[in-house]
Amino acid sequence: METPVATADLLQANQDLHAENENLKAVNDQLKAKNEQLVFELLLAKQRHFGRSADVLPEQADLDLDMVFDEAEVTEVPEADTETEEKEETEEISSYTRKKAGRKALPKDLPRVEKIIDIPEEEKRCACGACKQVIGEEVSEKLLYIPATMLVIQYKRLKYGCRDCEGSGDEDHPAVQTAPAVPAIIPKGIATASLLSTVFANKFIDHLPYYRQEQRFKRQGVKISRQDMSNWQLKCTKVLTPLAALMNKQIKAADVAHIDETVLQVLNEPLRKDTQKGYMWVVRGGPPDKIVYRYHYDPTRSSDVAKLLLDGFTGYLMSDAYSAYKTLTESKTEGITNVFCWAHSRRRFVEAAKVQKKAGTAHEAVGMIKHLYIIEKKLRGQLEQGEITVEQFSEKRKELVKPQLKKIHQWLKKKALIIPPKTLVGEAIHYTLNNWEPLERYIEHPALRPDNNVMEREGIKPFVISRKNWIFSGSPDGAESSSMLFSIITTAKEHKLNPQAYLYYILEMAPYMKSLEDWETLLPWNVKLPPVLDRAYIEPVPIEQTLNLK
């Protein structure tokens, strides 16, 4: 018979075992969750390394997407005029013409050189004895490439002197007088604007480092060292500083700006190791017809840099959710309102979806965010076609997007209660919820879009491609000089100018600029590039009278 003491011991032992079991279950659940997280991270790492980098779901996931959410719930965007729309669609279908197969014709504005291909003389006589006559021709065209030609311009400045005297002593009327030197952006250098623009375009547009250009020039029989090209860059950007300053002023002239940054390694910085990271900052802003890109190098990623670049700007700032941008709105006196990028939120859900075997929460989130873009694309198209005004665009977008944002927000809050925050999907959910107000704020201004993709596509991507080729900048001065050329080139692209031709023109005209009013004529939205760029369009004396091109 068991004693009371033995019974109490057994009960205590049972309670201890039960507590230990519960503890082990909790530890096991934590390990399972940790293991699942590590598996997802491994799959994501493999996907990033070996898979497609685009924010696109796998094809199978797209097929399963219809099972996750009801496509019928997609918010319909009302048409501007149903009857007009139907009529336009009918006309478009009836006027459809199929594209011809085969090779596209060569541009008609390219010069043509005719080469007549004839048959031998003995074959021009017919078997009947008569002479054959030309009755037609068959024309085919091939494209000829003539490699770049290096040409030396030899300036001969005529010198005049009086043979009757040795000078009257009047300094204003000297006995010996020499024709003035032709103005150049590098007065005593060998580089013309055409060479300089080619060198800079090769590096900052076509991403060709100076050491590769040095090898290319060597094959053409000309010795131009990479150090020479670097020195030219520093000298030219110093002269172009007034133009860059005028461009940068436009950022504060509008109430919407975009900002982003990316890493850049710079050598020979004081008190810093060559292996330390620096940052290239990019700001996009200005009125719609005077958009500019401003690149700026800084060793740090501090919010002080953002404040410097946005000095004097007040309005909406589109960016990612980096803390440096959040601090800009902590003080009400800054006058800056954060707007965060939906593409960054969507990207987190896409990454989570890529490592899931079946369509689930991540796919559903991507689908719901997609509805925001459907509305934006439709309304933006109507605005660009002139079917609606800017005011109507803003009103309709708010009317259609607000219910969808509310639906997404409520859905995210429910999912946050049941999905562990340490999982990829959980991290995406909490990232979106923590930044919700700035994410939904894009509907407050017609110039704002759901994402910051225009900055990533036009501002950051070209720089990143260049950085992969030349890897680093040799000095802080070189990095700042490069940032100015990137600013000028990217702004020229924004205004549909040929960036190399624009570089050529401003480098040629820079020595003639005497005031800020003169520099304003060279701004991308003011300049009118001549059809052919050479000194004949600038100098009052015809080119053939000043050059000896034997």
Side-chain angles (χ1 to χ4, degrees):
M1 182 175 180
E2 294 183 357
T3 64
V5 175
T7 302
D9 291 342
L10 289 173
L11 290 173
Q12 182 62 42
N14 182 59
Q15 291 177 357
D16 292 342
L17 289 172
H18 181 73
E20 183 179 356
N21 184 54
E22 292 297 324
N23 184 50
L24 290 174
K25 283 184 178 179
V27 172
N28 185 54
D29 290 340
Q30 292 177 359
L31 291 175
K32 282 184 177 180
K34 183 65 175 178
N35 181 65
E36 183 180 358
Q37 179 186 358
L38 292 174
V39 169
F40 280 151
E41 289 178 357
L42 176 61
L43 292 173
L44 181 59
K46 287 183 176 180
Q47 167 64 33
R48 287 175 174 173
H49 188 72
F50 299 107
R52 295 177 62 187
S53 60
D55 294 340
V56 180
L57 294 178
E59 293 182 4
Q60 185 60 41
D62 288 338
L63 295 175
D64 293 340
L65 208 55
D66 293 341
M67 298 186 293
V68 179
F69 60 92
D70 187 1
E71 279 289 349
E73 295 180 3
V74 176
T75 305
E76 292 293 337
V77 181
E79 305 294 342
D81 188 337
T82 305
E83 294 182 0
T84 304
E85 185 74 15
E86 291 177 354
K87 182 179 179 181
E88 289 178 353
E89 289 181 358
T90 303
E91 291 177 352
E92 181 180 352
I93 293 172
S94 62
S95 62
Y96 172 78
T97 55
R98 187 181 300 276
K99 292 182 179 180
K100 293 183 178 180
R103 186 176 58 197
K104 292 183 179 180
L106 296 173
K108 293 183 179 180
D109 57 342
L110 289 179
R112 260 68 174 173
V113 177
E114 287 189 356
K115 285 188 173 292
I116 307 298
I117 311 299
D118 205 350
I119 61 177
E121 289 294 329
E122 59 271 15
E123 294 182 11
K124 293 182 180 180
R125 182 171 296 279
C126 183
C128 69
C131 292
K132 297 179 180 179
Q133 305 295 321
V134 176
I135 59 173
E137 59 185 17
E138 292 186 6
V139 179
S140 62
E141 293 188 336
K142 297 183 180 295
L143 192 61
L144 175 67
Y145 174 75
I146 300 177
T149 301
M150 305 295 289
L151 185 69
V152 177
I153 299 179
Q154 189 179 72
Y155 289 94
K156 291 186 176 180
R157 297 162 56 199
L158 300 183
K159 184 182 293 186
Y160 290 84
C162 179
R163 296 184 182 277
D164 295 336
C165 68
E166 296 183 358
S168 62
D170 186 355
E171 294 182 358
D172 294 332
H173 299 83
V176 178
Q177 190 172 358
T178 306
V182 177
I185 192 167
I186 303 179
K188 297 182 180 180
I190 65 169
T192 61
S194 63
L195 178 60
L196 293 170
S197 61
T198 300
V199 168
F200 299 155
N202 285 343
K203 180 175 181 180
F204 298 105
I205 301 175
D206 300 324
H207 324 298
L208 193 66
Y210 285 154
Y211 77 90
R212 293 184 191 171
Q213 295 192 56
E214 179 181 1
Q215 297 168 354
R216 176 183 287 182
F217 284 124
K218 186 177 181 180
R219 292 196 301 270
Q220 294 178 286
V222 179
K223 184 178 180 181
I224 302 178
S225 69
R226 67 193 76 176
Q227 188 59 54
D228 286 338
M229 289 181 271
S230 296
N231 291 337
W232 293 345
Q233 177 182 321
L234 292 172
K235 291 178 180 179
C236 288
T237 51
K238 185 176 181 180
V239 176
L240 295 176
T241 299
L243 179 64
L246 287 173
M247 290 170 55
N248 295 338
K249 284 183 178 180
Q250 296 301 320
I251 294 175
K252 64 180 71 175
D255 47 11
V256 171
H258 300 248
I259 192 169
D260 206 349
E261 83 291 330
T262 186
V263 296
L264 173 64
Q265 185 179 358
V266 177
L267 309 183
N268 302 313
E269 287 193 271
L271 306 178
R272 282 170 59 89
K273 297 180 180 178
D274 288 346
T275 54
Q276 287 184 273
K277 291 181 181 178
Y279 294 89
M280 183 64 79
W281 294 71
V282 190
V283 178
R284 179 185 187 272
D289 59 339
K290 297 179 181 180
I291 296 292
V292 301
Y293 285 81
R294 180 183 181 182
Y295 289 75
H296 173 77
Y297 169 73
D298 197 275
T300 72
R301 204 184 178 200
S302 166
S303 61
D304 292 337
V305 183
K307 291 179 181 179
L308 171 66
L309 296 176
L310 297 167
D311 183 35
F313 169 78
T314 57
Y316 294 96
L317 180 65
M318 170 65 80
S319 67
D320 56 30
Y322 174 46
S323 59
Y325 305 136
K326 294 181 180 180
T327 59
L328 295 176
T329 61
E330 291 179 356
S331 173
K332 298 297 182 182
T333 58
E334 293 290 349
I336 294 177
T337 303
N338 282 134
V339 184
F340 289 162
C341 172
W342 270 104
H344 283 77
S345 176
R346 180 185 182 276
R347 188 172 301 147
R348 291 171 179 264
F349 286 108
V350 169
E351 289 180 344
K354 286 181 178 180
V355 299
Q356 291 180 345
K357 296 181 179 179
K358 297 181 179 180
T361 301
H363 299 80
E364 188 174 357
V366 174
M368 296 177 76
I369 295 173
K370 180 180 178 181
H371 300 347
L372 302 177
Y373 283 85
I374 292 174
I375 297 171
E376 182 73 18
K377 182 178 180 181
K378 187 69 175 180
L379 290 178
R380 190 70 66 175
Q382 292 178 1
L383 176 63
E384 292 173 353
Q385 293 297 324
E387 298 174 7
I388 57 176
T389 64
V390 176
E391 293 75 16
Q392 290 173 331
F393 169 83
S394 297
E395 292 175 2
K396 286 188 176 183
R397 185 167 68 169
K398 290 179 181 179
E399 177 185 346
L400 296 171
V401 171
K402 280 185 176 180
Q404 184 65 19
L405 288 172
K406 183 178 180 180
K407 177 182 176 181
I408 296 174
H409 194 211
Q410 292 175 345
W411 180 85
L412 288 171
K413 289 192 291 185
K414 290 179 181 179
K415 292 294 182 180
L417 298 175
I418 59 177
I419 296 179
K422 293 297 184 180
T423 62
L424 293 177
V425 179
E427 290 179 355
I429 290 173
H430 283 80
Y431 171 88
T432 306
L433 286 175
N434 292 338
N435 299 298
W436 183 256
E437 289 187 11
L439 281 171
E440 66 175 355
R441 202 171 279 150
Y442 77 92
I443 62 175
E444 295 180 6
H445 195 286
L448 290 169
R449 296 173 184 260
D451 54 46
N452 201 26
N453 284 354
V454 65
M455 170 62 81
E456 294 192 3
R457 182 178 62 252
E458 307 297 339
I460 295 295
K461 186 177 180 180
F463 175 81
V464 171
I465 295 174
S466 283
R467 185 188 62 200
K468 287 182 178 179
N469 284 270
W470 36 261
I471 303 176
F472 55 80
S473 287
S475 67
D477 289 341
E480 194 59 37
S481 172
S482 297
S483 68
M484 184 185 296
L485 287 174
F486 267 113
S487 301
I488 292 172
I489 288 170
T490 310
T491 303
K493 290 180 181 178
E494 176 70 23
H495 292 274
K496 311 303 181 184
L497 296 174
N498 179 327
Q500 183 172 350
Y502 180 66
L503 274 177
Y504 188 164
Y505 188 72
I506 63 174
L507 291 172
E508 189 76 89
M509 292 295 294
Y512 297 89
M513 301 297 102
K514 305 300 182 184
S515 64
L516 284 179
E517 289 74 16
D518 292 338
W519 283 107
E520 286 179 351
T521 64
L522 298 186
L523 290 168
W525 47 88
N526 291 334
V527 72
K528 292 184 179 179
L529 298 180
V532 180
L533 294 173
D534 60 32
R535 292 183 187 274
Y537 287 90
I538 300 170
E539 296 177 347
V541 181
I543 188 74
E544 60 270 11
Q545 295 184 20
T546 58
L547 305 181
N548 181 12
L549 303 179
K550 293 182 179 181

